[in-house]
Amino acid sequence: MKVCKFGGTSLADANQVRKICEIIASDPERRIVVVSAPGKRSTDDIKVTDMLIAAAEDCLAGKDAKPHLERIVARYAAICDELGLAPPVIDAIRKNLAERLESDRSHKAEFMDTMKAAGEDNAARLVAAELKRRQLRARYIDPAEAGLLLSAEYGRARVLPQSYERLSHLADYDGVTVFPGFFGYTPDGRVVTFSRGGSDITGSILAAAVRADLYENFTDVDSLFAADPRIVEGVRPIKEVTFREMRELSYAGFGVLHDEAIIPAVSAGIPICIKNTNRPDAPGTTIVPHHTDVDSRVVGIASGGGFCTIYLSKYLMNREIGFGRRVLQILEEEGLSYEHTPSGIDNMSILLEEEGFDMQVEDRVLARLRDELGVEDAEVERGLSLIMIVGEGMRFAVGLAASATAALAEAGVNIEMMNQGSSEISMMFGVKQEDGKKAVRALHKAFFE
Ligand code: ASP
């Protein structure tokens, strides 16, 4: 049995929905289907999820959100009309959206998640209707009825462990179950979403819950590539990548699969295959527990911008027991999560995402570091990119760091920070954002060309 997940571009218009129905119908093992909300039809289009967020924001600001609603209904209506779905399908979608817009707004984050969830929920209803129209045995299922329980962390929920057992009954249905991605319910019945792109996580959880043989993740590219194809021309496709490599790659900007979508499938030992809705016969990339081929020194180079570091120094920091804990405690109290903490004798750097670390928070954190911990020097550098070189075989390869730093030096890229050691299978470089692309090209050349 296979669990398939289709991303936003695979639902963008009627033609894409036709393709996914054909993919489902072509393999009787594809019995659980997770869908995203309709995504962009072209580069300048707007995703339904972004339209829903705009609607919710206007609503919360006391503005009229009806125009948004009309535009969103129009996206679904265009798909329904072209597919020839009966009028009750779009009527139900319109009603569902209008009811959400009228729902309780007293808890802003909950209202926002209720609106965001509408994209996937209605896409799943639409796909189930289309499968039935094609005479396939199919059903839409609500995540609450199915048993997907999530933590009450709005906009960034996590799965609760009891969900797996509760969802296992999904394997018993002998038709196709269409399950909306991206959201679930708290134990007290409130709608809550994962972070953006979270339908991938839903698919992975369902694959684990029903003990699927394969989790197929359909997107709009033929495979993963060794680096971002928008940055490197003629980039090498990746045929096979391990769970651990994928986790490192997707965390640092490999946009194809949500980084939290790896663990549920991994824990259940289920391989994941990334495939293209537009070319379903292309082999794609398989994410496996262990490599089957030998050359896995470097499988990919991931990169992502939007990072910053807090540099701090204090004389004799190395002698002060508990210093690191107190630094991290300040971050915890400010609600900040950090990515890396390379440290020296008298200094420490904390690498974190810029989002959520605005100037106000920065002032507060720096003041606390000085006042509470007696830090002598503390400053923030913004506008950094993270570059990760990833490969299981790196553990055994000699001279990799030398090749990487030589390539960066030759390209004139200054390394702001480097971290190797904490993960045996990756090497991290922090560079100025403006050097990010140059750095990726230089590293791709060094390892793949
Ligand atoms: N529709 C949601 C988003 O745009 C979730 C997803 O597509 O996976 O983030």
Side-chain angles (χ1 to χ4, degrees):
M1 166 177 201
K2 295 174 185 168
V3 171
C4 313
K5 180 260 170 179
F6 293 92
T9 51
S10 308
L11 285 117
D13 60 24
N15 202 29
Q16 293 300 90
V17 174
R18 277 191 201 109
K19 287 183 196 166
I20 69 177
C21 291
E22 276 151 27
I23 290 171
I24 296 163
S26 69
D27 185 346
E29 289 186 7
R30 292 183 174 133
R31 297 228 321 269
I32 297 182
V33 173
V34 175
V35 294
S36 282
K40 293 184 180 191
R41 290 160 293 189
S42 57
T43 37
D44 50 6
D45 200 11
I46 308 175
K47 287 176 163 200
V48 163
T49 307
D50 289 318
M51 296 164 91
L52 287 161
I53 292 172
E57 278 168 351
D58 274 5
C59 233
L60 289 170
K63 292 189 212 151
D64 179 17
K66 290 263 161 50
H68 290 292
L69 189 75
E70 287 314 312
R71 276 196 291 275
I72 298 164
V73 172
R75 285 288 309 262
Y76 289 99
I79 303 176
C80 291
D81 286 352
E82 213 185 310
L83 293 173
L85 286 169
V89 178
I90 187 65
D91 292 345
I93 292 175
R94 183 181 292 110
K95 186 163 168 264
N96 176 295
L97 285 161
E99 278 171 7
R100 287 174 196 259
L101 213 52
E102 291 309 316
S103 65
D104 179 22
R105 291 170 210 167
S106 55
H107 188 304
K108 286 186 182 168
E110 187 185 331
F111 176 71
M112 177 57 87
D113 277 11
T114 302
M115 290 300 292
K116 274 153 69 184
E120 279 51 27
D121 199 36
N122 288 301
R125 290 169 199 270
L126 190 158
V127 170
E130 173 61 8
L131 289 171
K132 282 189 220 161
R133 196 188 64 79
R134 290 168 176 249
Q135 313 297 328
L136 249 81
R137 187 165 152 72
R139 62 167 177 176
Y140 152 87
I141 196 160
D142 179 68
E145 187 193 333
L148 178 55
L149 291 182
L150 306 182
S151 62
E153 295 169 279
Y154 293 97
R156 54 190 192 97
R158 278 176 289 183
V159 65
L160 296 181
Q162 62 269 39
S163 293
Y164 293 98
E165 180 59 40
R166 294 168 55 113
L167 290 163
S168 61
H169 67 92
L170 290 175
D172 302 337
Y173 181 68
D174 62 356
V176 177
T177 298
V178 188
F179 197 107
F182 192 38
F183 72 96
Y185 290 82
T186 62
D188 62 352
R190 295 158 198 271
V191 176
V192 63
T193 69
F194 293 116
S195 53
R196 294 296 304 267
S199 300
D200 288 340
I201 312 175
T202 310
S204 187
I205 293 166
L206 297 192
V210 302
R211 303 255 147 205
D213 298 301
L214 183 64
Y215 171 28
E216 291 180 312
N217 193 289
F218 283 90
T219 171
D220 52 8
V221 290
D222 276 0
S223 67
L224 294 179
F225 294 96
D228 188 337
R230 290 166 302 185
I231 301 179
V232 184
E233 231 177 280
V235 61
R236 194 189 300 167
I238 303 179
K239 282 200 213 96
E240 183 187 87
V241 60
T242 66
F243 291 139
R244 298 205 308 153
E245 288 167 343
M246 192 59 208
R247 166 89 179 115
E248 303 253 353
L249 288 169
S250 57
Y251 141 80
F254 254 53
V256 178
L257 191 72
H258 194 296
D259 67 325
E260 290 172 38
I262 319 279
I263 301 302
V266 175
S267 321
I270 299 162
I272 305 171
C273 190
I274 310 283
K275 286 178 88 72
N276 190 350
T277 299
N278 306 311
R279 291 202 335 130
D281 295 329
T285 301
T286 312
I287 309 171
V288 293
H290 304 285
H291 272 299
T292 53
D293 57 355
V294 266
D295 187 18
S296 59
R297 269 184 353 136
V298 176
V299 297
I301 300 158
S303 58
F307 291 94
C308 62
T309 68
I310 309 173
Y311 285 109
L312 48 104
S313 70
K314 183 181 181 190
Y315 181 55
L316 290 181
M317 178 195 287
N318 61 323
R319 300 279 300 274
E320 198 175 318
I321 292 171
F323 183 82
R325 181 188 57 73
R326 287 195 286 276
V327 170
L328 296 181
Q329 183 152 358
I330 291 179
L331 296 191
E332 181 183 340
E333 285 163 8
E334 297 291 339
L336 297 167
S337 99
Y338 70 94
E339 310 293 321
H340 298 273
T341 52
S343 62
I345 298 178
D346 291 334
N347 33 47
M348 183 170 173
S349 299
I350 303 147
L351 194 85
L352 65 168
E353 279 182 23
E354 274 183 295
E355 201 186 320
F357 187 62
D358 58 27
M359 296 311 278
Q360 248 180 326
V361 185
E362 172 181 327
D363 288 345
R364 219 167 38 228
V365 169
L366 295 191
R368 288 189 64 182
L369 288 170
R370 290 195 188 97
D371 301 345
E372 295 170 30
L373 304 189
V375 163
E376 287 140 13
D377 195 15
E379 54 191 82
V380 170
E381 186 180 345
R382 291 181 176 269
L384 292 179
S385 277
L386 262 191
I387 321 267
M388 305 279 280
I389 305 178
V390 179
E392 297 262 3
M394 282 175 56
R395 263 181 291 175
F396 315 107
V398 176
L400 261 177
S403 313
T405 48
L408 292 175
E410 206 182 305
V413 174
N414 183 29
I415 302 169
E416 301 284 321
M417 139 182 318
M418 190 176 155
N419 194 3
Q420 208 235 332
S422 44
S423 158
E424 288 183 306
I425 66 159
S426 73
M427 209 184 294
M428 182 281 279
F429 295 98
V431 303
K432 289 230 160 57
Q433 215 141 275
E434 56 267 29
D435 284 339
K437 289 185 180 163
K438 208 167 29 166
V440 172
R441 285 189 201 112
L443 293 168
H444 185 270
K445 191 164 165 221
F447 293 113
F448 297 107
E449 288 169 31

